[in-house]
């Protein structure tokens, strides 16, 4: 269950683990990431290389450095990442092309109890956003609190878990404690997340997320449909024979063109 680990982590709190990290990436020293923006002309996709990044790994398969170049190879900046377990801790420092600090993100907590925090700061140390997850223990509830730049609560989730630790449902509240959305998590017989159904307080369908996997439990596709079951967006993933991500395709859908998918962004990865 390599990709779904990241997916559920994002569903629980703001996780700083990336799709190109984990067990499948142990032993790597370097990877190349190319991101293309895509436009359509006369029914054909036109790819323009937007950014090209070089990623460096530690012995655990975690990214520790990322150097970013524009498509024309002008230097954009870098990310320096620190990883630690027991207790869990991640930190990302983002620098611009002049080596000036742009932002700092930190994540720490206990992944077993669900107590967890994620904070993003600007270059001067001011909090840009903050997310805290706190477990209540016996009742299997976790509260995910979202705070704005001035420290006020903007929204929060009440998260109910199943006995196996997976998410059963999430209820979204605004800062006035009014229910905004209900997210119901549905799993396939093997325990993989198959869909998330999002409804309004009046039980009207708002949208639905669906997930599809290969035989190794790698996420192949995640898609979003609206209240009328019309496609809104989709992401397709491809892997090599070592279960490492090699391509990601992001699509959007325009109802005016009969639901035909339009490729918007293409990501390509190669490893050393």
């Amino acid at each position: 269950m390599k990709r779904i680990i990241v997916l559920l982590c994002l569903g629980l709190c703001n996780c700083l683990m990336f799709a190109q990290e984990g067990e499948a990436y142990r032993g790597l020293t370097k990877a190349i990431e190319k991101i293309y923006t895509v436009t359509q002309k006369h029914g054909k996709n036109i790819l323009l290389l937007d950014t090209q990044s070089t990623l460096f790994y530690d012995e655990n398969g975690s990214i520790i450095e990322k150097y970013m170049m524009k498509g024309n190879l002008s230097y954009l900046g870098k990310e320096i990442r620190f990883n630690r377990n027991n207790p869990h801790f991640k930190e990302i420092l983002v620098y611009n092309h002049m080596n000036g600090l742009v932002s700092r993100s930190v994540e720490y907590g206990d992944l077993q109890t669900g107590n967890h925090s994620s904070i993003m700061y600007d270059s001067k140390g001011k909090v840009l956003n903050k997310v805290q997850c706190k477990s209540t223990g016996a009742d299997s509830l976790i509260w995910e609190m979202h705070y704005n730049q001035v420290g006020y609560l903007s929204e929060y989730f009440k998260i109910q878990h199943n006995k196996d630790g997976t998410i059963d449902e999430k209820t979204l509240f605004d800062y006035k404690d009014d229910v905004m959305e209900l997210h119901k998590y549905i799993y396939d017989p093997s325990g993989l997340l198959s869909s998330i159904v999002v409804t309004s307080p009046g039980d009207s369908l708002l949208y639905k997320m669906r997930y599809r996997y290969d035989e190794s439990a790698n996420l192949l596709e995640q898609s979003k449909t609206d209240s009328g079951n019309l496609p809104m967006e989709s992401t397709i993933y491809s892997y090599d024979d070592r279960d490492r991500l090699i391509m990601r395709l992001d699509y959007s859908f325009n109802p005016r063109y009969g639901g035909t998918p339009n490729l918007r962004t293409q990501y390509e990865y190669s490893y050393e």
Side-chain angles (χ1 to χ4, degrees):
M1 299 184 184
K2 302 171 183 64
R3 304 284 75 73
I4 194 62
I5 294 174
V6 181
L7 178 66
L8 289 181
C9 191
L10 287 171
L12 179 61
C13 235
N14 282 359
C15 181
L16 298 183
M17 184 179 179
F18 295 85
Q20 306 86 9
E21 293 184 302
E23 187 66 31
Y25 301 86
R26 285 180 179 269
L28 288 177
T29 56
K30 185 171 69 171
I32 302 297
E33 175 190 66
K34 294 182 179 180
I35 303 178
Y36 298 87
T37 56
V38 186
T39 58
Q40 283 75 38
K41 187 175 182 180
H42 304 305
K44 295 183 178 181
N45 292 323
I46 308 300
L47 277 66
L48 175 65
L49 182 59
D50 185 39
T51 59
Q52 178 172 312
S53 301
T54 303
L55 294 72
F56 294 93
Y57 289 82
D58 64 14
E59 65 277 7
N60 297 314
S62 297
I63 299 169
I64 54 175
E65 294 179 356
K66 180 177 181 179
Y67 294 87
M68 298 161 285
M69 310 284 286
K70 195 65 178 171
N72 60 8
L73 299 184
S74 59
Y75 180 60
L76 289 177
K78 64 181 179 181
E79 294 181 6
I80 305 299
R81 305 178 184 180
F82 301 93
N83 306 284
R84 188 179 68 222
N85 295 316
N86 300 318
H88 170 76
F89 176 83
K90 284 182 176 288
E91 180 180 28
I92 300 179
L93 303 175
V94 180
Y95 297 88
N96 60 23
H97 67 288
M98 297 291 289
N99 207 36
L101 182 65
V102 175
S103 66
R104 173 176 177 256
S105 300
V106 295
E107 177 187 272
Y108 55 91
D110 189 334
L111 296 182
Q112 292 184 338
T113 64
N115 294 327
H116 193 273
S117 294
S118 179
I119 308 172
M120 176 177 283
Y121 304 88
D122 65 12
S123 60
K124 297 181 180 179
K126 180 181 178 181
V127 174
L128 296 177
N129 59 69
K130 179 180 179 180
V131 179
Q132 280 188 320
C133 291
K134 294 185 178 181
S135 172
T136 57
D139 57 6
S140 300
L141 284 179
I142 287 183
W143 297 90
E144 179 183 317
M145 320 298 287
H146 293 245
Y147 299 89
N148 59 24
Q149 291 181 336
V150 294
Y152 292 119
L153 182 68
S154 58
E155 63 182 21
Y156 64 96
F157 284 94
K158 181 178 73 173
I159 305 173
Q160 181 70 50
H161 282 74
N162 298 308
K163 292 182 179 180
D164 61 0
T166 57
I167 298 174
D168 178 32
E169 62 181 31
K170 297 174 64 173
T171 305
L172 173 63
F173 298 83
D174 64 14
Y175 71 97
K176 297 180 294 184
D177 296 330
D178 292 329
V179 176
M180 302 300 292
E181 295 175 352
L182 178 65
H183 298 217
K184 179 63 178 179
Y185 285 61
I186 301 171
Y187 301 84
D188 66 17
S190 63
L192 292 173
L193 181 64
S194 61
S195 62
I196 302 174
V197 180
V198 181
T199 56
S200 70
D203 203 31
S204 298
L205 179 64
L206 297 177
Y207 63 90
K208 186 174 184 179
M209 301 294 301
R210 292 180 174 87
Y211 306 92
R212 185 169 58 87
Y213 309 87
D214 64 14
E215 63 277 2
S216 298
N218 293 310
L219 182 62
L220 290 178
E221 180 181 9
Q222 60 182 34
S223 59
K224 182 178 182 180
T225 54
D226 65 13
S227 58
N229 203 34
L230 295 176
M232 299 174 66
E233 57 190 37
S234 176
T235 301
I236 307 294
Y237 303 89
S238 301
Y239 304 86
D240 63 15
D241 57 2
R242 298 184 180 181
D243 294 324
R244 300 179 302 198
L245 184 66
I246 56 174
M247 183 172 291
R248 167 183 163 177
L249 304 174
D250 290 346
Y251 293 91
S252 63
F253 294 81
N254 190 331
R256 293 182 301 173
Y257 301 110
T260 302
N262 291 319
L263 181 61
R264 293 304 184 191
T265 311
Q266 179 169 310
Y267 302 75
E268 296 178 357
Y269 300 91
S270 57
Y271 302 97
E272 297 181 9

